[in-house]
Amino acid sequence: MKIGIVVFPGTWSESDTFYATKDILGFNTEYIWHKDQKLHGIDLVVLPGGFSYGDYLLTGAIASFSPIIEQVIEFANKGGPVIGICNGFQILCESKLLPGILIKNKKLSFVCEWSNLKVNNKSIFSSEYQNNEIIKIPISHGEGNYQADKSIINELESENRIIFRYSSESGQINDSYNPNGSINNIAGIINKEGNVLGMMPHPEKASEKLIGGDDGLGIFKSVLKKVLND
Amino acid sequence: MISEDTLKELALTLSEYKLIVEKLDREPNELELGLFGALWSEHCGYKHTKKLLRTIKSKSKYTLTEAGAENAGAINIGDNKAIVMKIESHNHPSAVEPYEGAATGVGGIVRDIFAMGARPIALLNSLRFGDLNIDRNIQIANGVVEGISGYGNCLGIPNIGGECLFDESYENNPLVNAMCVGIVDIDSILSAKAESPGDLLIIIGSETGRDGIHGASGLASQNFEETVELRSAVQVGNPFLEKLLIEACLEIATLDELVGMQDCGAAGITSAAIEMAERSNLGLSIDVNKVPVREKGMTPYEIMLSESQERMLIAVRKNEYKNIFKILDKWDLKCSIIGEFIEGNDVIIHNDKKFISKTPINTLTTAPEYDLSKISKGYTAPYKEIKLQKSYSSFNENIIKAHIKKIISSDNLVSKKSLYKKYDHHVQTNTVVEPGSDSAVIRIKGTDKMLALSCDGNSRLCGVNPKVGSEINIAEACRNISVMGATPIALTDGLNFGDPTKAKGAYELIETFKGFNNACEIFETPIISGNASLFNEGHKTSINPTPIIGAMGIMDKNIKVPKKGFISEGDKIGLLGKSLWGTDIGLSGSEFQRIFDKDLSGEIYIDLKFEKIIQENIRTLVHKNLINSAHDISIGGLMSAIILCCEQNNLGAKIDKKIPENWAGSLFGEDQSRIIFSYDEENKKEISKLLNKSNWMEIGTVTEKNIKFENIFIESDSLFMSYNKGFSRDI
């Protein structure tokens, strides 16, 4: 069982993710350099957060043309699980593994804070949580405002593919608990097949009680349990 | 003969020019004059502060570097780990071009840290602006904050603390001081020097452009009014490139072939390369034609003096650069061998085959030293007696409430959340105490230690008395660390002062160092690195003397860090200090005086020895896990401290005391050496045993809401609302 974290020039959450999956959870984890063209023996791919290629042009756009992404697409198409965190979510949208787009936060400025997320546990990435459980995970982004056509949003809703929504501590979902203006308070979604997750919040940053909470570990635990059972 | 205009552009005086001619025994050519202008600037040559800097306490049993000898100071924290830290200002660039000025300020200080081979683990900053109700000031403040956010967030370094204050003294002359902290294995600390003749000098990173020429000599060494036209002297940052540089340089740092590393900062290649050679006791040969440039036709002068960002210099063993180039290629970074270290003491500059200059390095790096005491001789600081309005000493409930409301809504006291929300403070997953407390705390992975870090300085108190104000700044920095339970072990100083060639500026610097020396001695905290930004003169007058202190403390990971605010109803509230109430004279230089009297006057005082005792006391209480919260009384006095302690968890307080008739001094006096803490009632016995009876008192109880003294009832909801509303205008 092996987790592969793709390192792009400019990303920075690869080491935090490595720490969470390897040092905290004890799973075999390795870095995959963006120039590599292989995903040998990898069971879970993580696209980390940060500013790949400086986020010049469009967030995630340049990374979506990098050699490794073709491999990630092939891996995902074969059913391999993929998690895109923050910038990784943006890369997944740009590479069309997920629908929609992430644009500038409604208030136009970067936001870093702990966010409350309401969990839909009907996915391989969230099965370790209770359904509708409220978890605390930090966000840190300037462009996390998820937007998509009405038909896509309807599809996401009807197919139960919105896995995380920004909410209040008690689970209310409305504009006042939406940090970036995303449609329907979307914080994380999966693809049709259910094996690709994109989320703006950083689960790797909620990996220990000492640093404010460990609610993020459930995502890695959920998907790794699935991998181990397969 | 040289024209005065040319000299002025280089910030050299005529007598300095004459000294150059005398030392060289000839007239310098154009390039050489540029080299002198840069290296003899305050920024590189410290000509006004060197004498004072030599007097400072910079060593302790934990220090690993000589002050000023390397890119930053390093301190031993055990387990073969060193913490590297430094603060740097980017005031003038931020005044001219706020976004890029602040952004490149962050970039510069980060390079200083990884040049030592250290991984940057924290950023802090201290910001000063003029009053927010003036449009230009909000424009500057917004630009600066966006610049720090835009650049810093890209780097994956948490921005965990600092301060942001407003005072008319910073009108047109904002202060942007950025501090960076890094970690490195002690046996892997890099030095900014070469080892032997034949070592190669290689430039890495950005191409050299025409930006930032005369940044060090021009922008940072002249009065503000002269610099408005120097917009082109401000550099533009590329944080993406900086991030690549961090990773590549830290990878290179592990190779044996690498001999030394140096940040290319102020005064560009000139300062970086020549200082490297000087430290190595070697000569240097440079070919400017080998420097990758952004545009055609750049002159040797422009190449040598450009302050283009995101460049590093490394010294590498001859013919052993292959593996280094491989790493740079992996990170898609440009590099070029631009020279080599040679026997002797000269810097020899060529443009391809054409010889341009041969100058003795020690002449270039030995800037004249000015004796500030000669400049300040005969100067007596004007003493202004404190004015107290009659109403300040006559108890009146409504008047008191109105003053509380106004002070808690002041831009200097309100919640700064809107600001630090713009900075990533979680990345690297070490942040134990987030921004908003007295100091931030991060753990050090792979060890059993945590660091407490703070970065601030009260400049109004320094405006009243620079010596005592500086003592207070160090005392408060250490207090901020101590309330977390950490022991302060090192400081870095950001000196922001007015014109040192005027008696007032010189006097303020001299007095500041006196204060530093007193305080450093008592707290046993060396100043291991720092930066001097002089000539901070707004349109009307010089800024208040502003010595910013970055402080670092160390603590065990098992220590339960107290919160800033009260945590549960029923807890008892204690005060560590000689007296609960502030005094009338304690209003000198206070926020109260700024708001209600629009004045800066009076006398300030601190008993450093007593301060040390109460800091030891609070650490003991934390280590023995006897308290739940701790917060020091500083700006805004006792009343503001109590409100902030209540606000954090939306609680109240019942204080079993009567506010004295002189309510203003009592509630808002900023008298030093006082800490508010809360504790379970059952711990009182143990606390009493540990503390000297005359050093503390129980003052009340944490309640559900509102703040009650025996003679006044203050509703807390609206106060909390004012506090949380944040700045009077959006930043």
Side-chain angles (χ1 to χ4, degrees):
Chain A
M1 218 297 302
K2 206 192 277 174
I3 302 167
I5 306 172
V6 182
V7 181
F8 293 100
T11 52
W12 42 240
S13 89
E14 60 268 19
S15 44
D16 294 349
T17 308
F18 189 98
Y19 184 77
T21 57
K22 178 81 194 281
D23 297 316
I24 305 276
L25 294 174
F27 291 104
N28 192 359
T29 307
E30 66 178 44
Y31 294 123
I32 301 165
W33 184 238
H34 70 111
K35 287 178 185 169
D36 289 350
Q37 312 229 356
K38 285 175 191 132
L39 283 175
H40 268 321
I42 299 294
D43 301 292
L44 165 67
V45 171
V46 180
L47 303 182
F51 291 74
S52 60
Y53 302 92
D55 272 355
Y56 295 135
L57 194 60
L58 257 175
T59 51
I62 304 178
S64 69
F65 289 110
S66 85
I68 193 68
I69 285 296
E70 278 176 39
Q71 302 298 309
V72 174
I73 293 173
E74 202 186 308
F75 176 83
N77 286 341
K78 283 186 193 154
V82 177
I83 302 178
I85 300 165
C86 198
N87 198 211
F89 186 8
Q90 294 159 346
I91 296 169
L92 289 175
C93 290
E94 290 298 324
S95 352
K96 306 290 177 230
L97 279 171
L98 289 172
I101 187 174
L102 293 142
I103 62 169
K104 263 197 191 311
N105 295 349
K106 203 172 170 192
K107 283 183 187 155
L108 299 179
S109 62
F110 192 94
V111 56
C112 169
E113 64 185 4
W114 285 87
S115 63
N116 293 302
L117 304 176
K118 193 169 194 170
V119 181
N120 157 10
N121 77 347
K122 306 283 183 300
S123 82
I124 61 165
F125 303 99
S126 55
S127 56
E128 287 287 293
Y129 300 104
Q130 301 293 317
N131 202 31
N132 293 330
E133 185 178 339
I134 311 301
I135 58 173
K136 262 190 179 352
I137 296 187
I139 53 169
S140 171
H141 59 248
E143 306 184 31
N145 181 353
Y146 183 82
Q147 298 291 325
D149 290 350
K150 212 169 183 180
S151 60
I152 292 172
I153 299 294
N154 289 340
E155 204 179 288
L156 289 173
E157 291 284 5
S158 64
E159 293 172 4
N160 218 3
R161 283 163 52 197
I162 300 168
I163 305 305
F164 303 108
R165 286 180 216 257
Y166 302 109
S167 77
S168 73
E169 237 167 306
S170 59
Q172 282 170 281
I173 293 172
N174 59 44
D175 281 353
S176 39
Y177 304 107
N178 186 337
N180 54 33
S182 64
I183 292 187
N184 294 3
N185 284 39
I186 287 175
I189 56 166
I190 52 173
N191 62 347
K192 232 180 189 12
E193 295 71 26
N195 63 319
V196 177
L197 167 75
M199 62 188 296
M200 285 316 293
H202 285 265
E204 80 284 2
K205 286 180 177 174
S207 57
E208 264 174 294
K209 291 245 167 15
L210 178 69
I211 55 167
D214 59 1
D215 286 357
L217 294 177
I219 291 163
F220 301 111
K221 282 187 194 159
S222 301
V223 62
L224 290 166
K225 196 169 168 188
K226 165 82 168 77
V227 169
L228 287 170
N229 287 341
D230 279 354
Chain B
M1 191 59 204
I2 188 99
S3 79
E4 268 187 47
D5 283 351
T6 308
L7 287 177
K8 200 170 170 195
E9 202 177 316
L10 295 163
L12 288 169
T13 65
L14 191 58
S15 62
E16 283 167 350
Y17 180 76
K18 284 181 183 156
L19 188 64
I20 293 168
V21 174
E22 186 192 311
K23 284 195 171 184
L24 290 179
D25 201 20
R26 63 179 166 84
E27 299 261 334
N29 64 28
E30 187 202 8
L31 172 66
E32 289 161 351
L33 195 59
L35 302 184
F36 277 103
L39 291 166
W40 286 18
S41 68
E42 188 61 40
H43 200 98
C44 300
Y46 291 92
K47 56 191 174 190
H48 291 97
T49 45
K50 212 171 206 168
K51 271 205 162 84
L52 290 171
L53 285 168
R54 273 194 213 104
T55 66
I56 221 161
K57 179 184 163 73
S58 62
K59 298 286 273 181
S60 77
K61 57 183 171 181
Y62 304 114
T63 48
L64 297 165
T65 43
E66 298 282 334
E70 295 288 351
N71 282 295
I75 198 118
N76 185 346
I77 60 160
D79 305 323
N80 188 35
K81 298 277 182 209
I83 293 296
V84 172
M85 68 173 193
K86 192 183 177 186
I87 192 167
E88 198 161 78
S89 63
H90 236 210
N91 303 337
H92 291 76
S94 303
V96 177
E97 171 53 58
Y99 184 98
E100 295 297 345
T104 54
V106 173
I109 192 64
V110 168
R111 285 194 298 280
D112 276 335
I113 299 306
F114 70 78
M116 305 275 293
R119 158 82 51 190
I121 55 171
L123 282 166
L124 297 95
N125 54 68
S126 167
L127 309 178
R128 293 286 192 291
F129 307 106
D131 283 335
L132 271 188
N133 54 21
I134 294 170
D135 289 345
R136 175 64 185 153
N137 295 334
I138 183 92
Q139 196 185 4
I140 292 176
N142 266 317
V144 164
V145 171
E146 289 296 330
I148 293 171
S149 162
Y151 199 100
N153 291 338
C154 249
L155 304 180
I157 308 167
N159 192 324
I160 55 170
E163 57 167 3
C164 175
L165 295 169
F166 305 86
D167 189 281
E168 61 170 5
S169 146
Y170 305 105
E171 193 74 55
N172 298 310
N173 197 133
L175 301 186
V176 177
N177 285 213
M179 169 177 166
C180 187
V181 181
I183 188 160
V184 56
D185 287 345
I186 290 178
D187 48 21
S188 306
I189 295 178
L190 293 182
S191 192
K193 53 185 164 191
E195 268 167 14
S196 29
D199 286 351
L200 301 173
L201 180 68
I202 298 175
I203 191 164
I204 308 176
S206 177
E207 288 158 334
T208 298
R210 285 195 164 108
D211 49 340
I213 292 167
H214 294 167
S217 58
L219 262 185
S221 303
Q222 287 175 20
N223 292 352
F224 181 77
E225 279 174 60
E226 294 158 352
T227 62
V228 182
E229 291 100 54
L230 287 176
R231 189 173 296 265
S232 66
V234 177
Q235 317 84 340
V236 175
N238 177 349
F240 171 57
L241 195 53
E242 175 103 344
K243 169 69 173 144
L244 301 186
L245 267 181
I246 298 175
E247 299 307 329
C249 287
L250 290 179
E251 215 172 312
I252 290 171
T254 61
L255 300 182
D256 283 342
E257 299 93 303
L258 181 87
V259 180
M261 193 180 284
Q262 162 83 38
D263 157 39
C264 220
I269 297 175
T270 296
S271 151
I274 292 174
E275 282 173 15
M276 259 181 128
E278 188 213 10
R279 286 192 196 109
S280 324
N281 285 317
L282 289 170
L284 179 65
S285 165
I286 296 183
D287 179 358
V288 292
N289 190 43
K290 293 271 164 46
V291 178
V293 289
R294 269 183 219 156
E295 47 191 317
K296 277 186 189 157
M298 282 183 66
T299 64
Y301 184 99
E302 288 169 329
I303 293 169
M304 286 300 289
L305 288 159
S306 157
E307 289 189 8
S308 287
Q309 298 291 293
E310 292 92 22
R311 297 178 300 164
M312 298 292 284
L313 291 183
I314 52 173
V316 177
R317 280 207 197 95
K318 191 162 196 169
N319 297 329
E320 293 188 32
Y321 50 82
K322 229 170 136 189
N323 290 332
I324 291 178
F325 281 18
K326 227 188 247 170
I327 291 174
L328 293 169
D329 187 51
K330 173 186 156 189
W331 289 100
D332 297 321
L333 284 169
K334 292 203 176 79
C335 63
S336 173
I337 301 169
I338 62 168
E340 74 176 287
F341 294 88
I342 54 176
E343 301 273 5
N345 173 48
D346 291 318
V347 55
I348 302 169
I349 301 171
H350 282 84
N351 185 5
D352 199 10
K353 301 251 156 31
K354 191 174 166 230
F355 168 85
I356 306 175
S357 162
K358 178 177 175 181
T359 319
I361 288 173
N362 56 8
T363 307
L364 282 165
T365 55
T366 313
E369 286 180 25
Y370 295 110
D371 190 346
L372 291 186
S373 61
K374 280 188 186 148
I375 301 172
S376 71
K377 206 174 166 193
Y379 178 80
T380 39
Y383 173 70
K384 221 171 136 193
E385 205 171 324
I386 188 167
K387 278 182 296 194
L388 294 167
Q389 293 178 35
K390 256 197 189 142
S391 63
Y392 294 171
S393 48
S394 135
F395 186 91
N396 176 313
E397 202 172 318
N398 290 334
I399 291 180
I400 294 174
K401 282 182 181 168
H403 281 77
I404 293 174
K405 175 94 180 165
K406 185 134 190 217
I407 210 162
I408 207 71
S409 322
S410 141
D411 283 322
N412 288 336
L413 272 156
V414 289
S415 167
K416 310 284 193 286
K417 196 172 175 196
S418 72
L419 198 148
Y420 57 76
K421 250 173 87 169
K422 293 195 171 92
Y423 310 146
D424 190 325
H425 43 267
H426 297 128
V427 66
Q428 297 193 11
T429 60
N430 295 320
T431 311
V432 175
V433 176
E434 301 189 0
S437 281
D438 293 19
S439 50
V441 177
I442 54 173
R443 57 89 182 266
I444 306 291
K445 282 183 186 136
T447 73
D448 54 4
K449 300 194 170 73
M450 301 197 286
L451 297 182
L453 296 162
S454 77
C455 177
D456 51 22
N458 188 319
S459 63
R460 283 183 51 82
L461 298 182
C462 293
V464 172
N465 181 330
K467 174 172 159 280
V468 182
S470 300
E471 289 174 353
I472 289 175
N473 279 1
I474 289 183
E476 188 178 339
C478 292
R479 200 187 305 141
N480 287 335
I481 299 295
S482 295
V483 293
M484 296 291 160
T487 308
I489 56 169
L491 309 174
T492 178
D493 67 339
L495 301 171
N496 304 274
F497 284 78
D499 188 343
T501 64
K502 293 178 185 162
K504 178 173 178 281
Y507 167 83
E508 287 170 348
L509 272 165
I510 292 170
E511 292 296 301
T512 295
F513 277 82
K514 285 184 195 161
F516 277 177
N517 286 337
N518 289 343
C520 286
E521 211 52 61
I522 299 236
F523 295 110
E524 297 167 76
T525 46
I527 295 179
I528 63 169
S529 58
N531 169 259
S533 165
L534 310 181
F535 301 97
N536 289 290
E537 305 261 328
H539 282 313
K540 282 187 220 152
T541 168
S542 62
I543 59 163
N544 287 338
T546 313
I548 300 297
I549 304 294
M552 192 255 285
I554 193 155
M555 68 204 287
D556 192 278
K557 200 152 92 184
N558 297 320
I559 289 172
K560 199 174 144 230
V561 182
K563 304 288 179 208
K564 171 182 168 183
F566 303 141
I567 60 166
S568 42
E569 215 182 313
D571 278 1
K572 290 292 167 191
I573 305 170
L575 178 109
L576 203 47
K578 280 275 181 247
S579 153
L580 169 64
W581 306 114
T583 62
D584 287 353
I585 200 73
L587 290 173
S588 309
S590 67
E591 182 66 6
F592 185 95
Q593 189 181 50
R594 186 184 80 89
I595 295 177
F596 300 108
D597 300 326
K598 303 205 171 15
D599 194 19
L600 183 61
S601 62
E603 283 170 70
I604 54 172
Y605 175 77
I606 184 166
D607 177 346
L608 291 173
K609 286 188 181 141
F610 179 71
E611 172 74 38
K612 193 182 182 188
I613 292 168
I614 69 148
Q615 289 191 20
E616 283 163 1
N617 287 339
I618 196 73
R619 289 199 297 269
T620 306
L621 298 183
V622 176
H623 295 172
K624 294 196 179 284
N625 201 10
L626 292 169
I627 60 174
N628 300 327
S629 74
H631 176 48
D632 84 319
I633 296 179
S634 59
I635 182 168
L638 170 71
M639 192 64 223
S640 307
I642 292 176
I643 295 169
L644 297 194
C645 286
C646 293
E647 187 278 332
Q648 199 174 32
N649 293 307
N650 211 0
L651 290 163
K654 179 175 152 285
I655 308 294
D656 307 320
K657 307 270 174 194
K658 241 182 174 169
I659 296 174
E661 279 295 307
N662 66 330
W663 57 271
S666 301
L667 294 178
F668 301 107
E670 294 177 13
D671 302 77
Q672 295 298 306
S673 312
R674 292 180 295 162
I675 296 167
I676 292 181
F677 61 100
S678 66
Y679 51 96
D680 294 346
E681 193 159 14
E682 60 192 53
N683 290 340
K684 185 175 176 180
K685 234 182 168 174
E686 185 71 16
I687 294 171
S688 305
K689 253 192 256 171
L690 288 166
L691 304 185
N692 184 326
K693 211 174 147 193
S694 62
N695 290 355
W696 86 286
M697 65 197 80
E698 183 169 287
I699 60 169
T701 313
V702 178
T703 60
E704 190 199 347
K705 62 190 293 185
N706 302 324
I707 297 165
K708 275 187 243 178
F709 287 83
E710 282 177 357
N711 50 350
I712 199 167
F713 173 87
I714 305 153
E715 212 186 290
S716 55
D717 282 351
S718 72
L719 292 179
F720 296 170
M721 218 163 11
S722 303
Y723 171 78
N724 285 312
K725 200 169 153 264
F727 297 119
S728 55
R729 295 174 76 181
D730 282 347
I731 298 183

